[in-house]
């Protein structure tokens, strides 16, 4: 995927993130893997430039982030916003969900992702 995606210098970081996924990430991954969403392939822990996103669908250029309690401080919110802006500048669409959304209403989260996948598929 070249230097923008999955740069070799971040291989260990991606592996560490995959092996230490949060419970919410694991739950969502069970619903994304294996082309379960409109037959689109999602990958886990993909690096885009110097950042790593939780899930990414290369065909649709769709990134999905799962935010836990560590994303609540003002510094983290600013970092996340800056990171998202830089990634979106590459033409990548971003979806964000909080852990609580996945725990309390997984079907709505999956439906929101499905609707975005359908929309992006029609636009492509």
């Amino acid at each position: 995927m070249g230097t923008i995606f999955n740069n070799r210098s971040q291989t260990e970081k991606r592996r560490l993130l995959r092996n230490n996924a949060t419970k919410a990430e694991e739950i969502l991954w069970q619903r994304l893997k294996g082309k379960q969403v409109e037959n689109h392939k999602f990958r886990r822990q993909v690096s885009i430039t110097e950042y790593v996103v939780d899930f990414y669908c290369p065909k649709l250029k769709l990134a999905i982030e799962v935010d836990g309690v560590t994303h609540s401080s003002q510094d983290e919110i600013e970092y996340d916003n800056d990171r998202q802006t830089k990634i979106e500048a590459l033409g990548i669409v971003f979806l964000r969900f909080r852990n609580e959304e996945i725990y309390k209403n997984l079907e709505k989260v999956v439906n929101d992702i499905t609707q975005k996948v359908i929309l992006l598929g029609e636009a492509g």
Side-chain angles (χ1 to χ4, degrees), residues 46-61:
V46 173
S47 64
I48 302 172
T49 65
E50 70 266 28
Y51 306 108
V52 177
V53 297
D54 293 327
F55 305 105
Y56 184 67
C57 176
K59 184 175 182 182
L60 299 175
K61 297 178 97 177

Side-chain angles (χ1 to χ4, degrees), residues 54-88:
D54 293 327
F55 305 105
Y56 184 67
C57 176
K59 184 175 182 182
L60 299 175
K61 297 178 97 177
L62 173 62
I64 300 172
E65 277 294 295
V66 177
D67 293 338
V69 293
T70 61
H71 296 266
S72 300
S73 74
Q74 190 58 40
D75 286 345
E76 284 295 324
I77 291 168
E78 289 174 15
Y79 173 82
D80 285 345
N81 288 339
D82 182 57
R83 174 178 174 261
Q84 182 170 335
T85 299
K86 289 177 180 174
I87 292 172
E88 287 175 333

Side-chain angles (χ1 to χ4, degrees), residues 21-122:
T22 66
K23 182 179 177 186
E25 289 171 354
E26 287 292 340
I27 290 168
L28 186 55
W29 178 240
Q30 292 306 311
R31 299 295 297 271
L32 294 177
K33 70 180 182 178
K35 297 185 177 184
Q36 294 180 75
V37 178
E38 297 294 311
N39 205 35
H40 284 280
K41 182 172 184 71
F42 281 85
R43 299 181 184 278
R44 288 192 308 161
Q45 304 301 339
V46 173
S47 64
I48 302 172
T49 65
E50 70 266 28
Y51 306 108
V52 177
V53 297
D54 293 327
F55 305 105
Y56 184 67
C57 176
K59 184 175 182 182
L60 299 175
K61 297 178 97 177
L62 173 62
I64 300 172
E65 277 294 295
V66 177
D67 293 338
V69 293
T70 61
H71 296 266
S72 300
S73 74
Q74 190 58 40
D75 286 345
E76 284 295 324
I77 291 168
E78 289 174 15
Y79 173 82
D80 285 345
N81 288 339
D82 182 57
R83 174 178 174 261
Q84 182 170 335
T85 299
K86 289 177 180 174
I87 292 172
E88 287 175 333
L90 299 170
I92 295 169
V93 175
F94 232 84
L95 287 178
R96 277 190 183 282
F97 299 97
R98 303 215 30 91
N99 285 354
E100 296 79 26
E101 292 178 271
I102 293 168
Y103 298 143
K104 293 179 180 175
N105 201 347
L106 179 61
E107 293 311 314
K108 181 185 181 310
V109 170
V110 173
N111 185 57
D112 289 351
I113 294 168
T114 301
Q115 293 307 310
K116 184 59 81 173
V117 164
I118 291 168
L119 184 66
L120 292 172
E122 290 173 353

